Every structure is written in structure tokens, then in C-alpha cells.
Amino acid sequence: MMNYELLKQIQIEHLVDIGEIERGKEVNQRGDLQRPGDNRYSSHFKSICSLIKMYWTTCLVLENIALEGSTYSQCGDAVFSFKLLMSFDFAFILHIMKNVMGITDMFCQALQQKSQDILNDMHLVTTTKTLIKKLRDDDFN
């Protein structure tokens, strides 16, 4: 089995090569999963994007805990979570949720504003419905 640090380094080099992260001072400082807020749908969108970005690192951490966890319970939870994360269903639903939450993100942010612009909100409702219908009709045939 490869060392966790070596795998992390390989993943980071790959992400730099494909342009997902940048090299340089004070870039990519946030290297953890985004925590969702209590009721903020846009924070759920950020959490999903964060998990996609950190997917392989998360898998490596879970695998490391499964192999070297301090308790049987911790190891068992890590194995269960790792298997779920590696399943096709999880990855498929994660990407569908990213698409749907991405479409609704701007609308949710507008509705959370203290001062409401009804005309803009109605336009966002129409746009959101159109984009979701397009996603359903075109992207999943």
C-alpha cells in the first residue's frame, strides 16, 4: 500500500496539471470540506462543490482511518463511508445534486436578501424553471 502523503502529493500534482488548483503563494489555502450552514441552500451547494473538489483526498483519509483507526468502531465507520463514497450511485447523485443546486443557487441567494425585488425574483423563478427543465430534457437522455 502506498504512503498517504505520497498519494496526496500525486493527487495535488494531478490537480495542478489539469488546472483545478493553482501554484503560488497564498492560493488554495482552504483545504478542507465546506461545512453547510443551518438553512442556507447556497452553503449546501458550496459543500457539494467542496466534496467534489476534495473527493479523492476524502477517500484517502477514510481509507487511512479504516486501516489505522484507533478503535474498531472508528475503523468500521470509515470502511462503511469509504464504500459508500466509492459507489457509482453516490458519485452519480453527487454530480446531479451539483447541477441542480448550481441552478437553484442564485435563486436561493436572492430569496435570502433582506430587501426583496419581486420583479427580479419572478424572473429568477422563470429562469430556474427553464434551466431545470432543460437539465431534465436535454442532459439526461
Side-chain angles (χ1 to χ4, degrees):
M1 168 114 339
M2 294 180 95
N3 183 342
Y4 170 73
E5 291 299 320
L6 179 61
L7 287 173
K8 185 176 175 183
Q9 181 181 354
I10 291 169
Q11 181 197 17
I12 290 171
E13 288 172 3
H14 173 70
L15 291 173
V16 168
D17 290 342
I18 64 172
E20 286 290 318
I21 58 175
E22 302 173 36
R23 286 190 190 267
K25 189 174 183 178
E26 296 184 16
V27 295
N28 307 308
Q29 293 300 308
R30 181 132 179 119
D32 56 352
L33 293 173
Q34 178 78 26
R35 291 185 65 189
D38 294 336
N39 291 324
R40 305 275 185 201
Y41 287 104
S42 63
S43 68
H44 295 300
F45 175 64
K46 290 176 187 173
S47 297
I48 290 170
C49 291
S50 176
L51 179 56
I52 289 172
K53 185 176 181 179
M54 302 287 294
Y55 181 81
W56 290 112
T57 303
T58 305
C59 289
L60 289 173
V61 168
L62 286 172
E63 186 177 35
N64 191 40
I65 292 170
L67 295 173
E68 300 174 14
S70 59
T71 66
Y72 288 118
S73 175
Q74 189 180 53
C75 293
D77 289 346
V79 167
F80 179 75
S81 298
F82 178 77
K83 285 180 181 179
L84 284 177
L85 229 63
M86 294 300 292
S87 72
F88 173 79
D89 289 346
F90 180 85
F92 182 72
I93 291 169
L94 183 66
H95 284 279
I96 288 175
M97 289 305 299
K98 179 183 178 255
N99 290 341
V100 172
M101 296 294 276
I103 290 169
T104 60
D105 184 51
M106 184 182 283
F107 180 58
C108 291
Q109 288 181 26
L111 291 178
Q112 292 173 25
Q113 299 296 320
K114 290 186 185 220
S115 62
Q116 294 295 315
D117 178 2
I118 299 299
L119 289 176
N120 185 44
D121 292 347
M122 291 304 294
H123 177 69
L124 285 172
V125 167
T126 304
T127 303
T128 302
K129 285 174 54 178
T130 302
L131 289 171
I132 288 176
K133 183 178 182 331
K134 182 183 180 307
L135 179 70
R136 184 187 70 206
D137 294 343
D138 297 342
D139 292 348
F140 291 107
N141 282 336

